[in-house]
Amino acid sequence: MPHILIADDEPLQRLLIRETLAEDSSLTFVEAVNGLQALEQARAAHPELIILDAMMPKMDGFQACKLIKGDPDLQLIPVIMVTALYKAEDRAYGQEVGADGFVSKPFEADDLIAAVRNTLQRLRRFGDS
Amino acid sequence: MTDVNILMIDDRPENLLALEAILDNQGYNLVKAFSGSEALRHLLNRDFAAILLDAQMPGMDGFETATLIREREKTQHIPIIFMTAINRTEQHIFKGYAVGAVDYLFKPLVPEILKAKVAFFVESFKMTQENQRQAQEIEAMNAALQRQLREVQRLNLKMESTNRQLQESSQRLKSALDRAQAAERAKDTLLSNVTHEMRTPLSSIIGFSNLILQRAVTENKNREFATAINHEARRLMDLVNNFLDLQKLEAGHHNFHFGLVDLAELAQDVVGKQHLDNGRHTIRMAFDEVPPVYADGERIRQVMVNLLSNAIKYSPDGGEIVLSLQHDGRQVCFSVQDHGVGIPQEELGHLFERFHRGQTAEQLRLRGTGLGLALCKELIEGHRGRIWAESAGQQRGSTFSFALLCVQEGDSMTRIGQGYTDTDTKRVLVVAENLQSVTGVIAHLELEGFAVQSLVYQEATPPHIAQLAPDAILLDVSQDDERAGWSILDELRRYPMTQDIPILVSAENTDLPGENSIGLLTGLAKPLDAGLLVHELAHVLRLHKRRVLVIESDDLARDMLHIALDRAGYEMIAAADGQAAMDYMREAWPDLLIMDVLPDVDGFALLDWVRLEQGNLDIPILVWTGAELSPLAAQKVQARANALALKSKTTPQQVVDLIEHLMAVWI
């Protein structure tokens, strides 16, 4: 059962992401309110996918992504950044720290769903082969 | 006609004829005289290269004539050749030499000798003339060089001062540019923050409304999503409102409507209207009896609402919220205390920054705009009050407080030093960021007989100052807190009871903001010159009249100016010419100089004398002239004087208006 970690300091944003993805009833969620907590949760829960907000207190999403991608135990978990940052350089920075996808807020439900679905499918194909 | 004159003197016409015959055609202008006295008359009228003088003449003889010629300064160097037929004795010859003869010729004359001697003297006369001409030329060249040298020196000095001014303005320009750039950067950061903050609630609004529209969700979910949309839309609205408010405040558009405000009444009203969405909170009001404050009630209400809703928001488990009011005789303090999530120590200092994200906020279901407390700070500081937060730490609750200066009827004077006594005249109020920096100035003013009171910025609210009712205010604009200093000036100018009090501003930055109310605002550059301060104070307090030195040779113009100046409260010192003016200025400086084109000395020379030789670059100079000035001359005047007015176009009254203006602008 695909397990997804959602890290966002905004409770309503976590709710929105959860509800947007909830159409696929096979998904289950675990949440974090900052980058540090996201890292802890990733280690504890070994999710199949991590959704990170960029601007979070204590540790931001970029830093968390970098640490996840630098951790041999976690680096294969795909990371999608969902963020209100919208500039090209933010997106480029996301790629630099190893994010597998980038979705801008406000997002269309279909875009987020597609990003999550594609990422998960890539992962499965990789796992199957 | 040549310029070489030869004077021939003989009582006998035939002798003169003989001389003429010999010297004719030599290119000389031959002048004949039949007696010594006739010769002297010729000598008065023109210059001679040589004189041929007959020794024996009836009446005034040759020797007497020669003596007289030698006695006159103008003629003493003209060579005299004696002609004599008799007296060939040596004694006679010596007598001739003794009275100034340079040579002797004996009759009968030998034409060649006569011609040669005269030619020799004429040559030497010509050489002398040439020498003199050259000497004059050299002298003229010398004078011209001297003039040029002086002009170069003057231009040098002028250039140095222009250079200094340029450097100063470029310095000023640079710091203005730096400020503008810093403001630009701050604006960029702010915009990017605001954009980011707007995207988050927008994301919720769009996302949740999409879920409602596109999915068949349960009634419960529908309600949950609609609530989220509603909440986020409000947050967006608050963000926009707060942002606009903050922008206005920072641009200096306070638009506060000051009045006496009863904080207890205001707080009760705020509590009454506060929507408590669950029964978990109780609100207790612990109000001491407090004096009113001078404030904008609506703005203070805004702050109270903000603090109270924060207290509710950050104590999700409910509990008691305590509102309190206290005063210490000087300030009234309002506090909101909750028993909520508290604030870690390291965050206390950053709470009032824009878009600061509290650690505690992340644990809660609700988030603010990130601007609420920043706005509260601006509003309270706009009242020159203080706002702060205290917390014993996380989960230990927090207390937010603000303090405003209070107004107390009757005994307000006791709070501001002793106030002035009824017998005080010359009341001066010194306002400074800290009083230590002005103790020297205060001591000096007291020595000069002024009654001095002093306030620090926080105390210097318009109502307090109105109560003190000083005759003049010295506002020291601190380098550390320029903005506060200038805003005091601004407030004093807007408050009806203080707007007519003359203010002397001592500041680093010499650009007075806003419009100058003529005569009521005087700028003093730092470092403050105590003598100048006393002088300016004396003027604004009308203790002595300002002295205007008028250099004017025309009696009527002088009298008309005198009347106009007198009426405007100036003392006029009249000088009929440049010399008299310079004599006066060697002893004392007037406050202003009015001059026309001068009868005795060159006006430019006088201007340069004042500016360069006397080094007085500050005294305002007005040239009021009836002379037709060429464009070049007008330009030269304008380079030296502060203003140029033409008598044909400017009445004496307009001249006075002009000098009021010159006096009001920064010296």
Side-chain angles (χ1 to χ4, degrees), chain A residues 9-13 15-16 19-20 23 33-34 55 57-58 84-86 105-108 113, chain B residues 195-196 199-200 203-204 206-208 210-211 215 221 224-225 228 232 235 357 362 364-365 367:
Chain A
D9 59 325
E10 296 265 349
L12 282 177
Q13 289 298 307
L15 174 68
L16 178 63
E19 289 293 343
T20 304
E23 218 176 18
V33 300
N34 59 46
M55 303 286 277
K58 280 189 182 165
L85 296 175
Y86 54 95
K105 290 181 192 176
F107 54 80
E108 291 297 332
I113 292 167
Chain B
T195 319
H196 180 258
R199 279 172 177 269
T200 305
S203 168
S204 295
I206 293 170
F208 286 115
N210 272 342
L211 291 180
R215 304 221 179 133
K221 289 249 172 197
E224 187 184 0
F225 296 166
E232 293 290 83
R235 179 172 144 197
R357 289 166 166 241
E362 74 199 40
L364 300 171
R365 299 262 319 154
R367 268 207 59 193

Side-chain angles (χ1 to χ4, degrees), chain B residues 71-83:
Chain B
E71 275 171 7
R72 269 187 74 223
E73 196 188 351
K74 208 182 155 206
T75 54
Q76 64 186 341
H77 298 298
I78 305 175
I80 299 172
I81 305 167
F82 271 98
M83 300 174 295

Side-chain angles (χ1 to χ4, degrees), chain A residues 8-14 33 53 55-57 84 105, chain B residues 193 196-198 200-201 204 231-236 238-239 309-310 313-314 354-372:
Chain A
D8 196 313
D9 59 325
E10 296 265 349
L12 282 177
Q13 289 298 307
R14 295 198 298 271
V33 300
D53 179 26
M55 303 286 277
M56 291 186 289
K105 290 181 192 176
Chain B
N193 268 327
H196 180 258
E197 291 296 315
M198 286 173 81
T200 305
S204 295
H231 177 266
E232 293 290 83
R234 283 176 192 284
R235 179 172 144 197
L236 198 56
D238 286 348
L239 176 71
S309 61
N310 274 353
K313 204 187 287 179
Y314 292 104
R354 298 162 173 195
F355 300 116
H356 171 75
R357 289 166 166 241
Q359 268 189 34
T360 44
E362 74 199 40
Q363 294 150 5
L364 300 171
R365 299 262 319 154
L366 297 166
R367 268 207 59 193
T369 63
L371 291 175

Side-chain angles (χ1 to χ4, degrees), chain B residues 438-665:
Chain B
V438 288
T439 41
V441 172
I442 292 174
H444 189 91
L445 289 178
E446 281 173 344
L447 272 178
E448 292 283 337
F450 292 94
V452 184
Q453 293 291 316
S454 51
L455 296 178
V456 294
Y457 284 174
Q458 291 87 334
E459 300 168 315
T461 59
H464 284 160
I465 291 176
Q467 277 168 346
L468 275 171
D471 297 316
I473 299 167
L474 170 67
L475 173 61
D476 182 82
V477 173
S478 157
Q479 240 182 314
D480 302 329
D481 199 354
E482 276 202 3
R483 198 175 135 196
W486 292 121
S487 76
I488 290 173
L489 177 64
D490 192 40
E491 287 165 29
L492 290 175
R493 277 292 164 263
R494 281 201 263 174
Y495 189 63
M497 306 279 282
T498 56
Q499 64 186 198
D500 293 328
I501 302 175
I503 301 179
L504 283 76
V505 183
S506 150
E508 208 78 35
N509 172 5
T510 54
D511 304 321
L512 284 178
E515 285 172 39
N516 281 354
S517 178
I518 287 175
L520 287 178
L521 191 56
T522 310
L524 297 169
K526 280 187 177 178
L528 192 53
D529 177 337
L532 183 64
L533 170 64
V534 168
H535 180 76
E536 293 294 336
L537 271 175
H539 178 70
V540 298
L541 298 178
R542 304 268 174 213
L543 295 182
H544 83 69
K545 293 177 173 181
R546 291 227 194 182
R547 287 189 304 259
V548 178
L549 175 61
V550 175
I551 319 172
E552 174 64 76
S553 52
D554 180 54
D555 292 342
L556 180 64
R558 206 164 56 216
D559 288 347
M560 282 164 69
L561 259 187
H562 199 158
I563 293 165
L565 283 169
D566 199 44
R567 205 163 33 210
Y570 290 91
E571 180 189 344
M572 177 174 127
I573 298 131
D577 54 37
Q579 202 50 57
M582 283 159 88
D583 288 345
Y584 175 80
M585 284 186 281
R586 283 199 183 92
E587 298 298 319
W589 280 109
D591 297 294
L592 186 132
L593 179 61
I594 299 180
M595 59 183 283
D596 194 355
V597 169
L598 306 175
D600 55 343
V601 299
D602 175 10
F604 296 120
L606 182 80
L607 284 169
D608 287 341
W609 181 81
V610 170
R611 291 282 194 246
L612 302 175
E613 280 181 48
Q614 299 298 304
N616 196 330
L617 299 174
D618 291 337
I619 182 173
I621 300 178
L622 169 67
V623 173
W624 188 49
T625 180
E628 292 278 333
L629 290 179
S630 69
L632 182 67
Q635 218 176 347
K636 278 172 84 179
V637 168
Q638 271 153 357
R640 292 163 173 81
N642 299 70
L644 168 64
L646 299 178
K647 282 183 181 164
S648 55
K649 291 186 181 150
T650 322
T651 64
Q653 187 49 51
Q654 285 169 324
V655 168
V656 170
D657 293 344
L658 198 57
I659 68 175
E660 293 263 300
H661 185 74
L662 284 178
M663 291 284 198
V665 297

